[in-house]
Amino acid sequence: MDAILQKESLGRWIAKLQERGEVYAPEFVEDAWEFTKVERGASVELDHTNTVLPAKGFVFPQREVLYRFRIENGKTPELTDTELSVKPMVVFGVRPCDGRATVRNDRVFTCGVSDPYYQARRDSVVFIGLACNAPPSPNCFCVAVGGSPCSEDGLDVLMTDLDGRYHVKALTDKGRDVVNAASDLFQAATAADRNEVSNAQVAALEYPQRSISAMDLVVAALKRNFESPLWDQLARTCIGCGACTYLCPTCHCFDINDEVTSKSPLTGARVRTWDNCQFPDFTMHSSGHNPREDTGARLRQRICHKLLYFVETHNMQQCTGCGRCITHCPVGIDIVRIANVMEEGVWQ
């Protein structure tokens, strides 16, 4: 199902969807693009670069209450489940790299054993993607990891900017539903429109991106160099801030803690929060032993998880080439450069 939406009708489409739930879109706030809630009547311009934070927070929030507890002497402990009913949400402007990240996060949270908290949000959110007519960042490398500036993976709708109008392609039942909610705003796409989309996609692929010279050899290179001193050299400048993982659309490690609000009776909440493999205490044992005691070991874990372990387990890289970890690393650690170094075995 595809159609054409004039750009001046975007606000009316959003208004229709706001009657059904919350709508989010990229907004330039304090020198950065972020997904923010669209207030009624607010203008939305989908001319953003990539957002600093990815869209994964809509399905895997940074902090989440799993249940609440109350323990009183002489009484049976009370556990109260968190209400899993999540408000319907529509997110505009999701870049294809973040869409492909959703496919990978689905593998983690819904294959085998389904995480009910993740699944509830996944069922309630509609991701409306925007194809990249040009790379939104100089550090984009989606093509190197099997993606595309116009990938449809993980999205419910893909929009393509055709200069003054959007080609809107519904990809899932949820996508068709949000398009049909404002069907009077759309015109049928013609063969000429589809040809224009095809040309835009070809042009997008011709834009230069960062490249990994021999991606098919990286798995073997990482195995070969597991004990290499290169890791310590590559991580020498790392300050362990964790920005690379917090901003990654596919990083999904979490910790679970009890937040106590009263000691008598004992009350509080069991809370899940994002964790970070670049922090020294991430793998710290209660004995004091830490199997990843230095920055080199922790960097190796992050890179191998992305480009080796996930490939072996799921037959796909756990990296979608958004480039956020490169752009926002304060000391210039670069996953593309590391992949190339590992394959070549030389760091200069």
Side-chain angles (χ1 to χ4, degrees):
M1 174 184 179
D2 63 338
I4 295 295
L5 177 74
Q6 301 299 321
K7 284 190 174 180
E8 59 265 27
S9 297
L10 177 62
R12 293 171 60 197
W13 186 20
I14 290 174
K16 282 278 189 182
L17 298 178
Q18 285 173 321
E19 296 173 2
R20 312 167 66 173
E22 296 178 344
V23 175
Y24 293 80
E27 181 182 11
F28 196 67
V29 181
E30 297 182 354
D31 298 327
W33 286 99
E34 302 289 356
F35 287 107
T36 62
K37 184 179 176 182
V38 180
E39 302 298 337
R40 289 185 180 273
S43 175
V44 172
E45 304 288 341
L46 296 178
D47 55 358
H48 55 289
T49 60
N50 221 351
T51 54
V52 174
L53 282 170
K56 76 174 177 185
F58 290 104
V59 289
F60 176 44
Q62 188 167 2
R63 178 185 180 279
E64 181 173 45
V65 176
L66 303 181
Y67 62 83
R68 302 184 188 282
F69 58 83
R70 177 187 177 90
I71 302 174
E72 197 167 352
N73 285 339
K75 296 183 179 180
T76 303
E78 298 174 16
L79 303 180
T80 305
D81 287 336
T82 302
E83 180 59 59
L84 282 178
S85 61
V86 182
K87 293 180 181 178
M89 293 184 292
V90 179
V91 185
F92 276 83
V94 177
R95 293 295 184 181
C97 51
D98 279 2
R100 296 186 78 234
T102 301
V103 176
R104 283 140 180 83
N105 293 331
D106 285 350
R107 289 291 184 101
V108 173
F109 288 105
T110 67
C111 287
V113 177
S114 180
D115 182 308
Y117 304 91
Y118 178 91
Q119 189 66 64
R121 289 184 169 80
R122 189 74 177 86
D123 292 339
S124 300
V125 67
V126 180
F127 286 130
I128 298 184
L130 180 67
C132 302
N133 288 7
S137 160
N139 287 314
C140 288
F141 60 101
C142 65
V143 174
V145 287
S148 159
C150 42
S151 170
E152 300 174 354
D153 294 350
L155 299 171
D156 297 296
V157 174
L158 180 63
M159 299 171 63
T160 303
D161 190 332
L162 297 181
D163 192 19
R165 58 209 172 98
Y166 294 110
H167 176 262
V168 180
K169 184 177 182 182
L171 304 166
T172 66
D173 288 342
K174 289 192 293 183
R176 285 182 278 277
D177 183 51
V178 296
V179 172
N180 289 332
S183 57
D184 57 314
L185 300 177
F186 294 87
Q187 299 87 48
T190 65
D193 293 326
R194 294 183 186 116
N195 187 54
E196 195 172 344
V197 171
S198 179
N199 290 338
Q201 294 177 347
V202 170
L205 285 166
E206 290 177 349
Y207 271 91
Q209 291 191 359
R210 301 286 305 281
S211 65
I212 296 175
S213 58
M215 191 67 229
D216 56 330
L217 302 178
V218 168
V219 167
L222 289 172
K223 289 181 177 178
R224 186 172 65 248
N225 289 294
F226 190 81
E227 301 289 353
S228 170
L230 281 170
W231 292 110
D232 290 332
Q233 297 176 42
L234 291 164
R236 188 169 294 159
T237 58
C238 180
I239 57 176
C241 67
C244 49
T245 65
Y246 279 141
L247 304 184
C248 174
T250 64
C251 277
H252 53 265
C253 289
F254 58 81
D255 200 359
I256 294 177
N257 291 287
D258 289 344
E259 294 183 356
V260 175
T261 54
S262 167
K263 291 185 178 179
S264 182
L266 183 62
T267 62
R270 181 150 293 186
V271 178
R272 174 163 71 180
T273 54
W274 292 356
D275 206 345
N276 198 309
C277 64
Q278 300 306 290
F279 290 164
D281 60 356
F282 181 79
T283 49
M284 179 72 77
H285 297 181
S286 56
S287 66
H289 171 65
N290 192 340
R292 297 185 204 135
E293 63 181 359
D294 53 46
T295 55
R298 293 192 282 274
L299 175 64
R300 180 181 63 192
Q301 166 61 23
R302 182 169 74 85
I303 302 301
C304 286
H305 196 184
K306 300 292 179 194
L307 304 179
L308 170 57
Y309 307 144
F310 209 81
V311 174
E312 292 182 326
T313 306
H314 299 290
N315 198 31
M316 61 176 74
Q317 290 89 15
Q318 202 217 10
C319 172
T320 60
C322 70
R324 289 183 177 94
C325 63
I326 305 170
T327 300
H328 299 288
C329 177
V331 296
I333 293 176
D334 184 333
I335 188 172
V336 171
R337 193 176 185 191
I338 292 171
N340 287 324
V341 165
M342 285 296 137
E343 201 283 314
E344 296 164 2
V346 179
W347 168 250
Q348 296 178 346

